[in-house]
Amino acid sequence: MVIVPVSDGVWVGCTGAPQASGHPEDRRAAAGLPPWRHEEFLGARGLLRRMLARYAPDAADAPLARHPSGRPALAGRPDIGVSLSHDEGFVAAAVALDRPVGVDVQRPPDEVGDRLLRRCLGPRAADLADLPAAHRATEFAWVWTVQESCVKAEGTGLAGRPWAISVPVRPRRGRWRDVTWVSLRDHTDMPVSCAFGEAPC
């Protein structure tokens, strides 16, 4: 498990060996999910609960609800932003004090075609076009985690058209609208990025 402070009051965690949440509300929400989804769902929430216990202990047992924008929120705690992500056994979570936050983890796909590159990278697609397939997929996944975390922090999700967000190849840190984004390239080989706003949640 890796937990990284990416800014003052903002932490991101990720792991490929998640421990399931034992919180009764999390368990109830996971009931009926397919086994693979059940494991990742509770794994992401387990990571979030451990992070809350460390950085916001008075909110560690708060039930997860939905912000009016649709992103996850802690019931009764609008002062703490939270975000969750999971993909093929990997989970990520983010906690932010007094601001919205988004996180995304993405296992590199088996193949990334030229059309997908052009859609998500626009004129920067040429920077990845000639890379070996595995390297191309990994760099694409890093870009996608930035794009996805930005729209999660904004609260728009796919309606925010993440593929249209301009992100440099081999991303590390930047800004989009009112959101700051950070990639965890120096901390994990699995593509994970987060984004956080400046305004209160």
Side-chain angles (χ1 to χ4, degrees):
M1 179 174 68
V2 172
I3 298 178
V4 180
V6 295
S7 185
D8 186 32
V10 182
W11 301 271
V12 177
C14 61
T15 182
Q19 296 176 10
S21 170
H23 192 285
E25 292 294 330
D26 296 344
R27 293 275 178 184
R28 194 172 359 269
L33 293 175
W36 67 269
R37 177 117 168 75
H38 185 273
E39 183 177 338
E40 290 182 355
F41 183 95
L42 288 177
R45 280 154 181 74
L47 175 58
L48 176 65
R49 298 285 175 198
R50 287 193 300 283
M51 292 173 66
L52 287 168
R54 185 181 300 182
Y55 302 113
D58 58 331
D61 288 326
L64 275 170
R66 288 272 169 207
H67 187 274
S69 68
R71 66 175 175 248
L74 294 176
R77 295 305 304 265
D79 57 317
I80 301 174
V82 296
S83 186
L84 301 160
S85 182
H86 51 82
D87 189 40
E88 296 186 22
F90 283 83
V91 301
V95 173
L97 305 182
D98 297 317
R99 66 186 78 187
V101 68
V103 69
D104 194 59
V105 59
Q106 176 70 54
R107 184 186 285 273
D110 293 333
E111 184 178 340
V112 178
D114 292 340
R115 184 175 177 202
L116 183 57
L117 276 186
R118 286 192 303 272
R119 182 174 190 194
C120 294
L121 279 81
R124 293 181 167 128
D127 294 341
L128 299 185
D130 294 331
L131 292 178
H135 191 184
R136 172 197 272 211
T138 298
E139 291 302 333
F140 169 81
W142 279 109
V143 169
W144 180 252
T145 62
V146 171
Q147 294 170 323
E148 184 75 6
S149 65
C150 284
V151 295
K152 286 183 175 183
E154 187 183 53
T156 54
L158 289 177
R161 302 178 70 241
W163 54 86
I165 298 172
S166 179
V167 176
V169 173
R170 299 172 187 85
R172 291 193 178 273
R173 189 178 190 94
R175 290 222 15 122
W176 174 72
R177 295 185 180 169
D178 294 329
V179 169
T180 297
W181 57 261
V182 179
S183 290
L184 273 62
R185 295 179 73 99
D186 296 328
H187 304 280
T188 175
D189 292 333
M190 182 59 55
V192 179
S193 298
C194 82
F196 48 90
E198 301 302 328
C201 299

